[in-house]
Amino acid sequence: MFDFLLKYRHYFIPLFCFCFVGLYFMRNISYGDEILYFNTWRREPWNTIFIILTYCAEPIAYTLIIVALMLLNWRPAALLLGGIGLLTALVAVYAKTIYQTARPIRWFELVGRLQEVGVVPNFGLNGGYNSLPSGHTMSAFACYGFLSLFLISKGHTRWAIGAMLIAAGAGISRIFLVQHFLIDVVAGAIIGTILALGVFFISTKSKYLNLDSPE
């Protein structure tokens, strides 16, 4: 286990930092304060940056990454990434059906504090009861987490770190865009991480896939 952690430290260090900071603020700030914190930040260029980061966790991003992996002749990784996308979607729908918690804009409305929330202009807000966990964050940490592990196994450490930074940015974007609370994002990151590690670990045991060997 220690050898695995050491080899993939460029994946685990950003992951642990993100989760530790998230858990720290969950414990030390009031529910909803994370949404209000970003009020003064909701302006350009941050609006556009975080919208792009959110799109990085959507199906179009999966598709582009899969195509890139295919073109680089990394077909097993591409197929596994497609499978991760489908698995993530199923888990997200199931989890949201169980918990049915109010989205931020709905919650602030219910508690009579809607006027406190600043929003990004012309960006649609989901006012439903499907906040926990964040599907985008789950998708980001599953997709880019798996991609990071795979890239490290091929010796591309810098790209692996970049993938994890995109995952973290996608998670933060969900709070910035008033789509999710911090607890939703942390939960999504943890579930996405479990999916990424699970698929990668199983794939390394396959002689056909052979993902854990350097080029």
Side-chain angles (χ1 to χ4, degrees):
M1 176 60 73
F2 178 78
D3 290 341
F4 183 80
L5 291 172
L6 183 62
K7 178 177 180 179
Y8 293 97
R9 62 189 180 278
H10 296 96
Y11 164 77
F12 284 108
I13 291 174
L15 173 65
F16 289 155
C17 287
F18 181 87
C19 291
F20 175 80
V21 171
L23 291 171
Y24 173 83
F25 281 110
M26 279 174 55
R27 181 179 176 83
N28 290 281
I29 66 174
S30 299
Y31 192 72
D33 281 358
E34 67 273 29
I35 301 293
L36 302 180
Y37 169 78
F38 282 112
N39 277 350
T40 57
W41 289 75
R42 293 186 181 104
R43 62 182 187 276
E44 294 299 341
W46 300 111
N47 291 351
T48 299
I49 290 172
F50 281 107
I51 288 173
I52 291 172
L53 285 168
T54 269
Y55 288 152
C56 286
E58 296 192 348
I60 182 62
Y62 267 86
T63 303
L64 291 174
I65 295 171
I66 289 171
V67 170
L69 291 174
M70 294 290 284
L71 292 175
L72 291 169
N73 203 32
W74 288 334
R75 291 183 179 85
L79 293 174
L80 285 171
L81 191 59
I84 287 175
L86 293 175
L87 181 60
T88 301
L90 292 173
V91 172
V93 170
Y94 179 73
K96 288 173 181 288
T97 301
I98 292 175
Y99 294 108
Q100 297 185 356
T101 57
R103 291 274 187 155
I105 203 67
R106 177 66 65 192
W107 183 84
F108 277 100
E109 181 182 24
L110 291 172
V111 299
R113 298 173 58 192
L114 186 59
Q115 72 281 358
E116 298 180 30
V117 182
V119 299
V120 175
N122 303 315
F123 191 86
L125 294 174
N126 188 324
Y129 290 86
N130 56 351
S131 197
L132 180 67
S134 166
H136 278 74
T137 307
M138 189 189 306
S139 173
F141 276 82
C143 171
Y144 296 103
F146 174 81
L147 185 62
S148 178
L149 291 164
F150 173 72
L151 289 170
I152 292 171
S153 74
K154 299 302 180 185
H156 303 292
T157 303
R158 292 182 180 179
W159 288 102
I161 296 173
M164 291 306 295
L165 293 177
I166 292 174
I172 296 171
S173 77
R174 304 309 289 162
I175 300 172
F176 183 93
L177 297 171
V178 196
Q179 301 292 337
H180 286 284
F181 293 105
L182 178 58
I183 187 174
D184 308 332
V185 169
V186 172
I190 292 172
I191 298 172
T193 296
I194 293 172
L195 295 175
L197 284 171
V199 172
F200 183 77
F201 181 77
I202 293 172
S203 70
T204 60
K205 303 302 179 182
S206 168
K207 294 182 180 180
Y208 170 71
L209 295 171
N210 199 28
L211 293 190
D212 197 30
S213 62
E215 291 180 305

